[in-house]
């Protein structure tokens, strides 16, 4: 059983930056970030996986603006969010998978076994 705890959410203006952190009680093959806006489905934002080499995936709308990283112990994942847009608002969830995910599967919430409680991100103009 892996417990995940997110931190770092808050309110920011359009164009600003926020950094989210996710601390896990144990290790996993992949850690990812999802977000859910009111009335919308939960969507994958980014994932970082450790296999023979480290692989990183992003949804298209955050490429070039968001950066996912992980500490050397692979128990804390970070999401640096720059150039924030109003559409980035939502509850951000950290998730962990015991499987090694790929460029398609990282997007599926069902691939992740463990979830955090979520942290609110609000971007206003």
């Amino acid at each position: 059983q892996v417990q995940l705890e997110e931190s770092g959410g808050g309110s920011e203006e359009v164009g600003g930056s926020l950094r989210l952190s996710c601390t896990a009680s144990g290790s996993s093959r992949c850690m990812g970030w999802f977000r859910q806006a009111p009335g919308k489905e939960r969507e994958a934002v980014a994932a970082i996986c450790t296999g023979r080499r480290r692989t990183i995936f992003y949804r298209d709308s955050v490429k070039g603006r968001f950066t996912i990283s992980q500490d050397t112990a692979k128990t804390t994942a970070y999401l640096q969010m720059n150039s924030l847009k109003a559409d980035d608002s939502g509850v951000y969830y950290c998730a962990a998978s015991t499987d090694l995910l790929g460029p398609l599967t990282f997007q599926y919430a069902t691939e992740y076994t463990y979830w955090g409680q979520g942290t609110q991100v609000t971007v206003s103009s």
Side-chain angles (χ1 to χ4, degrees):
Q1 186 80 8
V2 176
Q3 293 181 327
L4 304 174
E5 183 172 359
E6 305 99 335
S7 62
S11 298
E12 186 56 78
E13 294 183 347
V14 170
S17 298
L18 285 172
R19 189 189 195 210
L20 305 182
S21 299
C22 173
T23 301
S25 62
S27 61
S28 57
R29 301 297 295 277
C30 293
M31 293 183 73
W33 288 97
F34 282 71
R35 66 187 180 190
Q36 188 167 20
K40 295 188 177 181
E41 294 186 356
R42 190 172 298 190
E43 61 184 22
V45 176
I48 184 166
C49 300
T50 304
R52 287 188 176 184
R53 57 185 177 90
R54 182 167 292 183
T55 51
I56 291 175
F57 309 105
Y58 296 102
R59 70 178 298 104
D60 287 345
S61 63
V62 306
K63 287 180 180 178
R65 301 188 297 120
F66 290 11
T67 302
I68 189 171
S69 60
Q70 199 172 33
D71 68 341
T72 54
K74 302 180 181 62
T75 56
T76 301
Y78 305 96
L79 186 67
Q80 178 67 42
M81 305 185 293
N82 299 329
S83 302
L84 285 165
K85 302 177 180 179
D87 287 347
D88 294 321
S89 296
V91 178
Y92 281 68
Y93 297 91
C94 178
S97 174
T98 55
D99 295 325
L100 193 60
L101 305 177
L104 289 178
T105 53
F106 89 95
Q107 304 174 77
Y108 304 137
T110 52
E111 295 288 343
Y112 298 82
T113 306
Y114 307 105
W115 290 84
Q117 294 299 308
T119 185
Q120 178 70 45
V121 171
T122 303
V123 184
S124 58
S125 56

